[in-house]
Amino acid sequence: MPAAVTRALLSVSDKTGLVDFARALQTRGVALLSTGGTARLLADAGIAVTEVSDYTGFPEMLDGRVKTLHPKVHGGILARRDVDAHRASLAAHAIPTIDLVVVNLYPFRETVADPACTLDDAIENIDIGGPAMVRAAAKNWQHVGVVVDPAEYERVLADLDAHGNALSDDLRFRLMQQAFAHTAAYDGAIANWVGARDRGGASTGFPRAFHYSGTLRQAMRYGENPHQQAALYRDPDAAPSAIASYRQLQGKELSFNNVADADAAWRCVATFAEPTCVVVKHANPCGVATAATPLGAYRAAFATDPTSAFGGIIAFNRVVDADTVEAVAAQFVEVLIAPGYDEGAISAIARKKNVRVLELPLPPLEGDARELDVKRVGGGLLVQTSDAHVLEADDLRVVTQRAPTPAQVADLLFAWRVAHFVKSNAIVFAGTGRTLGIGAGQMSRVDSTRIAAIKAANANLSLHDSVVASDAFFPFRDGLDVVAEQGAVAVIQPGGSIRDDEVIAAANERDVAMVFTGVRHFRH
């Protein structure tokens, strides 16, 4: 156990909770050093603090770029207290030890998140002295505590009180781990941004080196299969509405597959403005419906494919009430997700204690186009921008002699939203705001079409006067012929096949309205 903490250096960009923390340190007899705006904040709060420039005897210079890069700062942090030569050097140069470093860094991520950010703005928000202090303290973790997250302030104070004003080995080690992760994530964000810019600051696409940093949210019992290990990491700038930000209200621990399926359900349901329910199994929607109420949406979504819905993930884009929960709980459900639950719903679902209940705020309807999609391949990563695309009625191009009616257009757009989240090749039959049959993940689009029709028949749902969405173009007329034979009267598809004319002719022969989107939604 090291000696008590007697001197701390505080220099933070995020000043959340700092005044109270500094005051608590002062009451424990800790002398405080600080810089710039942090020092002014503490002084204005009536807290005794020594400016680093007064402490080192060397003024801040170069517009504050040089202030803590001084032997009296780094010597006090880096000196090993158990090495005689280090203690002798400190004594020879009159350098006191610094036992606690509280530093977080210039807001680089926040700065570059602004689309108007220039290269100069970004460069000015690259911290130099801060990472140097954090890394120095982390390197010397056996003797120095380092705090980069305001969420740790209370834990640090409690640890000081429990160990005679010293920090325990366990806490210093954990703080060291956080510190190196903090600087690595910071440097990675800088490298990603500047690596994708030219000298004028214009984007050049993807960075030369791609860096990812995430925080461990949950270590899981196993991965996709029991012989695999797994964990969930949360992005440093993950939105509160992202699945990795979930708040679990009850139920068993989430599994790897639970999280993957929940993400698919949540992304799909969030694209609908109307009250909507999505049921997902093995990452594919097996039922989607809109209705006047969440209960009505659930009943219609479940009825699409009750067999597949067994043990599924159920997502709503509205606050859920008790009646809806009672209906959901009548079947076996793995995970329930919604933006909220009323008191009756919480009481009702509590009787099914194993059901995992998640709460998340809804994301924007248009999704986050800045989000990157990453897929692991042997020896590398495939990285692409998000498949966030909002299709409106005005974007549709009618290519057949018969145009769809307004009601059919509404159903076509509904089916298109669902197809976006179905594994390719995807075929979705729909009508009156609900799915009627879904075919997913087949090597042949015709097979997906036939499977969707079989699903509808198994659920006793008629495809007469239905509409169909296809996530990619029909390469031959056979797919169009099959959907027409099943009773579909309107089709939405991207178009773009060399045989588009053949498919359009088939639609005209069968008096089927067809629209092209010009956009496809492959999902592998």
Side-chain angles (χ1 to χ4, degrees):
M1 175 68 69
V5 173
T6 60
R7 184 171 290 100
L9 193 158
L10 290 71
S11 180
V12 297
S13 174
D14 180 358
K15 296 177 174 57
T16 304
L18 182 71
V19 169
D20 290 341
F21 181 58
R23 187 174 283 117
L25 290 175
Q26 189 175 58
T27 62
R28 288 163 174 79
V30 180
L32 304 180
L33 304 175
S34 192
T35 63
T38 304
R40 288 191 295 274
L41 176 70
L42 299 181
D44 290 346
I47 298 170
V49 60
T50 300
E51 283 261 14
V52 163
S53 57
D54 295 331
Y55 175 73
T56 62
F58 201 92
E60 291 187 13
M61 61 184 297
L62 306 180
D63 298 321
R65 287 188 174 201
V66 176
K67 48 192 173 187
T68 58
L69 298 172
H70 192 281
K72 198 168 182 181
V73 172
H74 286 273
I77 296 172
L78 281 165
R80 288 183 53 175
R81 281 59 160 170
D82 60 343
V83 175
D84 291 342
H86 284 202
R87 293 202 307 273
S89 291
L90 293 184
H93 298 284
I95 298 176
T97 58
I98 296 173
D99 312 303
L100 180 64
V101 172
V102 183
V103 172
N104 51 60
L105 310 176
Y106 292 175
F108 181 83
R109 279 196 190 87
E110 294 80 355
T111 299
V112 299
D114 183 350
C117 176
T118 66
L119 181 60
D120 287 344
D121 291 336
I123 295 298
E124 282 305 309
N125 279 277
I126 295 176
D127 204 328
I128 302 301
M133 288 189 290
V134 169
R135 289 174 62 84
K139 177 182 175 73
N140 203 24
W141 70 271
Q142 292 175 309
H143 307 280
V144 180
V146 54
V147 183
V148 296
D149 185 351
E152 296 293 339
Y153 291 167
E154 289 299 324
R155 188 175 285 108
V156 168
L157 295 174
D159 201 70
L160 288 172
D161 292 342
H163 298 95
N165 241 31
L167 292 175
S168 66
D169 292 344
D170 286 343
L171 182 59
R172 278 183 284 100
F173 184 78
R174 194 165 72 81
L175 293 173
M176 174 269 286
Q177 291 174 317
Q178 287 185 357
F180 280 125
H182 187 64
T183 56
Y186 190 76
D187 286 341
I190 294 169
N192 282 347
W193 195 86
V194 300
R197 295 294 182 282
D198 62 20
R199 289 177 58 188
S203 174
T204 56
F206 290 97
R208 288 180 170 272
F210 179 73
H211 299 267
Y212 174 78
S213 62
T215 302
L216 181 65
R217 169 70 199 263
Q218 177 187 341
M220 295 170 172
R221 287 178 297 164
Y222 54 81
E224 219 166 0
N225 300 291
H227 63 275
Q228 296 173 267
Q229 296 179 335
L232 171 64
Y233 286 85
R234 184 179 184 273
D235 295 349
D237 53 356
S241 57
I243 198 68
S245 304
Y246 69 83
R247 176 176 173 239
Q248 185 166 357
L249 304 185
Q250 73 157 56
K252 297 187 295 184
E253 182 180 67
L254 289 168
S255 72
F256 181 97
N257 293 332
N258 288 155
V259 174
D261 288 350
D263 183 53
W266 189 240
R267 287 177 185 270
C268 182
V269 81
T271 64
F272 291 90
E274 309 86 352
T276 302
C277 175
V278 173
V279 184
V280 160
K281 191 69 172 289
H282 294 299
N284 275 304
C286 57
V288 181
T290 62
T293 65
L295 178 57
Y298 168 71
R299 285 175 172 160
F302 180 82
T304 302
D305 189 353
T307 302
S308 297
F310 180 83
I313 311 294
I314 300 176
F316 294 92
N317 64 353
R318 292 290 190 277
V319 172
V320 175
D321 57 24
D323 289 343
T324 304
V325 163
E326 293 285 4
V328 169
Q331 288 81 33
F332 172 45
V333 57
E334 287 275 5
V335 181
L336 179 61
I337 319 168
Y341 306 84
D342 67 21
E343 290 185 13
I346 294 296
S347 298
I349 200 66
R351 296 195 294 273
K352 297 280 189 176
K353 61 181 182 180
N354 287 333
V355 175
R356 302 162 177 89
V357 179
L358 307 185
E359 185 177 68
L360 283 166
L362 282 170
L365 283 173
E366 64 273 13
D368 186 357
R370 298 171 303 168
E371 187 179 44
L372 292 179
D373 179 40
V374 179
K375 182 175 294 187
R376 180 72 180 170
V377 295
L381 297 174
L382 285 170
V383 181
Q384 63 180 347
T385 56
S386 171
D387 184 16
H389 180 271
V390 179
L391 186 72
E392 304 290 352
D394 290 343
D395 300 324
L396 303 179
R397 181 165 68 94
V398 179
V399 295
T400 49
Q401 295 167 359
R402 188 170 72 78
T405 67
Q408 289 167 350
V409 168
D411 278 334
L412 288 168
L413 290 173
F414 169 88
W416 182 253
R417 288 192 187 97
V418 177
H420 183 175
F421 297 96
V422 177
K423 297 289 186 180
S424 301
N425 288 314
I427 292 290
V428 177
F429 285 87
T432 60
R434 60 175 293 182
T435 51
L436 301 171
I438 299 174
Q442 299 304 302
M443 290 69 76
S444 162
R445 192 162 299 278
V446 172
D447 286 343
S448 287
T449 304
R450 289 175 175 142
I451 288 171
I454 291 169
K455 291 280 190 181
N458 289 343
N460 295 315
L461 296 174
S462 171
L463 298 182
H464 181 67
D465 288 340
S466 63
V467 305
V468 170
S470 174
D471 65 340
F473 60 65
F474 288 101
F476 302 96
R477 67 168 289 162
D478 53 359
L480 191 285
D481 288 330
V482 172
V483 302
E485 289 164 3
Q486 297 299 328
V489 294
V491 172
I492 184 170
Q493 61 134 317
S497 168
I498 60 173
R499 294 184 177 86
D500 274 348
D501 289 344
E502 175 185 320
V503 177
I504 293 169
N508 285 329
E509 286 174 23
R510 293 178 172 275
D511 195 30
V512 171
M514 187 160 62
V515 297
F516 283 2
T517 65
V519 176
R520 83 173 185 202
H521 286 303
F522 270 165
R523 190 174 183 84
H524 292 101

